[in-house]
Amino acid sequence: YVGNDTIKDLFRPEQLETLEVFASQAALFIRTAQLMNELKSESEQLANRLESVKFGSIIGACPQMIEVYKRVDKVAGADITVLVTGETGTGKELIAHEIHNRSGRATGPLVTVNCGAIPENLIESELFGHVKGAFTGAVANQMGKFEAANKGTIFLDEIGELPMPLQVKLLRVLQEKQIQRVGETKTRPVDIRVVAATNRDLEAEVKSGNFREDLYFRLNVVNIELPPLRERGDDVLLIARYLIQRYSEEYNRP
């Protein structure tokens, strides 16, 4: 704009410096505007893509996860026991939620039990309940997780951590569909679907004598194995961008 071939010595060196500063600022503004447009376009594309690669609350589009989705769709409607395997953090509980939400029990409760987080002396009471006076501290009748999950689904996370004596009782519940509260002689019928999960190799645990073979086969009617994130390719980027977008909105930050 300021260039002119017919006038000489119109500008001084200090004016050139001023002009260069303005030109540099203008270049930054233009580049920033371009980046903003690119980010907006990328964000819109991401939002559209995320909707197409979401399976309930799960995000993933790699071939391994597509196979998982197909398997979940197939087994969700059948009222059978499912064993979900995979490393810690692969999303086993999310899969349990999708199985429940896509089943005929979706209107019933989904009760989650972390078998590895409950002290061994309390886990039987936690699972099956107890009656008043059954043990020290049992000041009232208490419903267990299995009873609470009646007409719905119970998710037994880290089933490989279950002590051997409880494995026997769990097997009986799966076979007879009845539970017995601690300190009570009568049994109570329960109508539940069991989804179990573990990060252990249960076949190896069976061979080493740490897990009952009959319980393993009772739980492993259908197996869904989840791949670790490091094997899921571009899913890492999808999940990262989803989290950035989610927390950007949550904390009202750009």
Side-chain angles (χ1 to χ4, degrees):
Y1 177 77
V2 298
N4 194 311
D5 290 337
T6 60
I7 302 175
K8 293 182 178 180
D9 302 323
L10 182 63
F11 300 112
R12 296 185 299 277
E14 58 267 25
Q15 290 170 318
L16 175 61
E17 291 178 12
T18 303
L19 185 62
E20 287 176 338
V21 170
F22 277 112
S24 297
Q25 291 296 314
L28 285 174
F29 290 143
I30 291 169
R31 182 60 186 142
T32 301
Q34 289 174 331
L35 284 172
M36 290 294 289
N37 282 334
E38 290 171 9
L39 287 171
K40 184 178 179 182
S41 174
E42 188 178 350
S43 180
E44 289 171 354
Q45 292 172 9
L46 174 64
N48 293 334
R49 190 178 176 198
L50 281 174
E51 285 306 312
S52 67
V53 300
K54 285 180 74 174
F55 184 78
S57 56
I58 305 168
I59 296 170
C62 68
Q64 301 99 307
M65 291 305 293
I66 297 300
E67 287 304 311
V68 168
Y69 301 158
K70 290 178 181 177
R71 202 162 179 80
V72 170
D73 266 335
K74 284 182 180 179
V75 304
D79 211 17
I80 54 178
T81 305
V82 179
L83 179 64
V84 187
T85 56
E87 296 178 13
T88 299
T90 48
K92 296 186 286 293
E93 187 169 351
L94 292 176
I95 292 294
H97 276 265
E98 290 308 315
I99 292 172
H100 174 73
N101 292 338
R102 295 164 190 268
S103 73
R105 296 177 177 270
T107 56
L110 171 62
V111 176
T112 298
V113 183
N114 188 332
C115 299
I118 306 171
E120 187 172 340
N121 61 326
L122 295 178
I123 193 165
E124 183 177 2
S125 170
E126 188 75 14
L127 290 177
F128 309 126
H130 62 257
V131 295
K132 182 179 179 180
F135 50 85
T136 303
V139 296
N141 291 346
Q142 178 66 49
M143 178 188 295
K145 299 293 189 182
F146 271 81
E147 214 172 333
N150 195 43
K151 303 294 183 184
T153 305
I154 188 166
F155 174 53
L156 302 175
D157 198 10
E158 302 306 340
I159 191 69
E161 307 283 343
L162 199 65
M164 189 64 76
L166 263 296
Q167 293 181 26
V168 178
K169 295 186 177 181
L170 176 59
L171 179 63
R172 190 180 305 121
V173 170
L174 294 177
Q175 290 172 336
E176 300 174 3
K177 301 292 185 183
Q178 296 200 355
I179 57 102
Q180 185 175 343
R181 290 182 177 183
V182 177
E184 193 172 52
T185 55
K186 69 175 184 178
T187 58
R188 302 167 182 263
V190 286
D191 176 16
I192 54 170
R193 184 200 196 149
V194 175
V195 178
T198 182
N199 59 5
R200 294 188 179 190
D201 182 347
L202 287 189
E203 285 192 31
E205 293 293 307
V206 168
K207 290 176 182 176
S208 63
N210 295 323
F211 202 85
R212 291 182 62 96
E213 186 177 27
D214 47 5
L215 177 59
Y216 170 66
F217 286 117
R218 177 68 68 167
L219 292 171
N220 194 31
V221 178
V222 172
N223 176 245
I224 297 177
E225 185 172 359
L226 298 182
L229 193 57
R230 63 179 175 275
E231 296 177 5
R232 289 173 54 184
D234 286 346
D235 282 2
V236 177
L237 297 176
L238 279 175
I239 294 170
R241 290 184 180 278
Y242 164 77
L243 292 173
I244 289 171
Q245 180 180 331
R246 171 181 165 182
Y247 290 112
S248 169
E249 293 171 358
E250 185 173 328
Y251 294 108
N252 195 29
R253 299 293 298 274

